[in-house]
Amino acid sequence: MTRVTTVALWKGGSGKTATVKNLAAALAWSGRRVLVVDLDPQADASKGLGVVPSDVPVTLWHLLEHGDIPVRDAIYENGFGLEQYANMKPVHVLPSERRMTEKIQGFTARQVGVIKDILSEVKDEYDNIIIDTPPSDNLITVNAFFASDDVIIPVQAEQEALDGLDAIIESIAQIKRGLNPTLQIAGILPVMVKRVSSNSMDIVREMHEKYPGMVIEDWIPETSVIGESHRMRRPVIFTEPQSEAAQKYMKVAGRLL
């Protein structure tokens, strides 16, 4: 049965897209059939998985704009050149693009199921679908929550990011009370944790105290290898598989198996 997971937080630079890319890569490494659905007009998840919107003929924007294009025409495969690993599956990507900004602004409440409808065409072909969202509360994010089984919330270990957690948790609760009664929070994931900073570790402890049972233990450290992997347009799972960050993402992905 396909598990659909949205990764969301209403703050840019939160490690959200890095989480999407690396969870997808970790699941594919484990032999899972994975689709990443990029709903963010910045398309960083698409680019970070080697699918550059300007280089491909069809994106999510085309599916929404025209309505009669097969979803498979907008899905692209990236095997990362790691075919030598017996269990490794390619990551499939449904890319976004900048024109999605205007499309999202024009969304109405009547379109709350459009992403779920798009995914219904291909959902059974995957074990896991990971959805990246814009860093804002809008109807495309509601679409993602409506289409999902659960949500992972990556939170940078700083006070400003922690302060925004209540709003997204309440939004998920509202969706659960209405549109999607089975929606769950898979976990709050501390990211960019500065191991040498007492303030950073204090924020992680505060998360545990404020949201008992909801915080994922395998927090992601602040490390240059993640930024380097982004520049290489490959997940850190593949560029530095023995790094602490890669190993932590593998453990987090285990929650989605």
Side-chain angles (χ1 to χ4, degrees):
M1 187 173 180
T2 308
R3 182 169 183 173
V4 182
T5 301
T6 285
V7 179
L9 185 69
W10 299 329
K11 180 181 182 298
S14 64
K16 174 179 59 64
T17 298
T19 298
V20 169
K21 295 184 299 182
N22 285 290
L23 287 182
L27 290 164
W29 187 287
S30 302
R32 306 283 285 182
R33 301 168 300 165
V34 182
L35 171 65
V36 170
V37 179
D38 194 349
L39 301 185
D40 189 341
Q42 296 292 325
D44 284 339
S46 305
K47 297 170 190 173
L49 290 166
V51 179
V52 180
S54 59
D55 293 344
V56 298
V58 184
T59 67
L60 178 60
W61 178 86
H62 293 88
L63 300 184
L64 295 172
E65 179 71 10
H66 300 290
D68 57 352
I69 299 175
V71 176
R72 290 173 187 84
D73 287 0
I75 292 176
Y76 304 89
E77 178 180 300
N78 193 330
F80 300 102
L82 298 174
E83 293 80 3
Q84 69 270 27
Y85 294 95
N87 293 327
M88 177 72 194
K89 299 289 186 184
V91 174
H92 288 188
V93 182
L94 174 53
S96 184
E97 62 165 279
R98 289 194 177 274
R99 285 182 292 182
M100 280 288 292
T101 298
E102 183 177 348
K103 183 63 65 177
I104 290 170
Q105 291 172 348
F107 262 44
T108 68
R110 295 179 61 183
Q111 294 172 286
V112 73
V114 66
I115 298 302
K116 185 173 184 177
D117 289 344
I118 285 173
L119 294 184
S120 68
E121 290 189 35
V122 297
K123 184 176 179 180
D124 292 343
E125 299 174 18
Y126 297 97
D127 300 304
N128 293 85
I129 296 176
I130 311 293
I131 302 177
D132 194 16
T133 54
S136 56
D137 181 14
N138 53 36
L139 283 173
I140 198 71
T141 303
V142 173
N143 255 271
F145 291 160
F146 183 46
S148 294
D149 299 301
D150 47 40
V151 182
I152 287 179
I153 308 171
V155 182
Q156 190 172 353
E158 60 178 29
Q159 191 62 50
E160 181 184 356
L162 183 60
D163 290 343
L165 256 178
D166 285 342
I168 191 168
I169 288 174
E170 175 55 29
S171 178
I172 293 168
Q174 289 178 2
I175 298 296
K176 185 177 175 66
R177 288 193 293 267
L179 293 170
N180 186 357
T182 62
L183 183 65
Q184 301 291 330
I185 295 177
I188 298 167
L189 176 63
V191 298
M192 302 183 194
V193 179
K194 299 178 179 68
R195 191 188 300 276
V196 298
S197 167
S198 59
N199 180 65
S200 189
M201 298 307 297
D202 287 345
I203 294 296
V204 174
R205 283 190 286 271
E206 185 176 343
M207 289 184 201
H208 281 281
E209 292 171 2
K210 190 172 182 180
Y211 307 100
M214 296 174 65
V215 181
I216 298 172
E217 295 288 344
D218 294 298
W219 46 262
I220 310 301
E222 182 181 63
T223 171
S224 62
V225 298
I226 292 179
E228 291 166 6
S229 71
H230 181 70
R231 286 190 291 273
M232 296 171 66
R233 292 181 175 170
R234 292 163 69 92
V236 71
I237 296 292
F238 300 145
T239 60
E240 296 286 346
Q242 300 307 315
S243 66
E244 182 185 13
Q247 293 301 308
K248 289 288 188 72
Y249 275 121
M250 291 291 283
K251 290 181 179 180
V252 176
R255 298 171 65 92
L256 303 180
L257 293 176

